[in-house]
């Protein structure tokens, strides 16, 4: 009886791992969205630095 439970739980564990991997692959963001988010981040960062420099100069 113990061996059956061990095998059953092992199979469930493998299925859960495979399901997790497949879910992560399916929900990946597109390359275009990743690039746009990166560009937006750097533009925001640059604007923040410029605003800080203006504040320090005044």
């Amino acid at each position: 009886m113990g061996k059956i439970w061990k095998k059953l739980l092992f199979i469930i564990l493998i299925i859960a791992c495979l399901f997790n991997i497949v879910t992560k692959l399916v929900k990946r963001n597109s390359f275009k969205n990743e690039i746009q988010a990166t560009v937006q981040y750097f533009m925001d960062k640059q604007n923040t630095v410029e605003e800080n420099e203006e504040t320090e100069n005044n």
Side-chain angles (χ1 to χ4, degrees):
M1 189 74 174
K3 289 183 179 182
I4 294 173
W5 278 108
K6 199 175 196 179
K7 287 181 181 179
L8 180 65
L9 292 175
F10 187 69
I11 291 171
I12 291 172
L13 178 66
I14 291 173
I15 291 171
C17 290
L18 290 174
F19 182 76
N20 188 20
I21 292 169
V22 169
T23 302
K24 287 181 180 180
L25 288 174
V26 169
K27 289 188 177 182
R28 281 184 32 204
N29 289 334
S30 70
F31 184 72
K32 182 179 177 182
N33 290 343
E34 289 293 330
I35 294 296
Q36 287 175 341
T38 303
V39 169
Q40 186 64 41
Y41 170 79
F42 282 111
M43 290 176 69
D44 292 344
K45 195 75 164 170
Q46 184 178 8
N47 290 338
T48 304
V49 169
E50 289 173 356
E51 289 173 2
N52 288 342
E53 288 176 354
E54 288 177 4
T55 305
E56 291 175 359
N57 291 337
N58 291 336

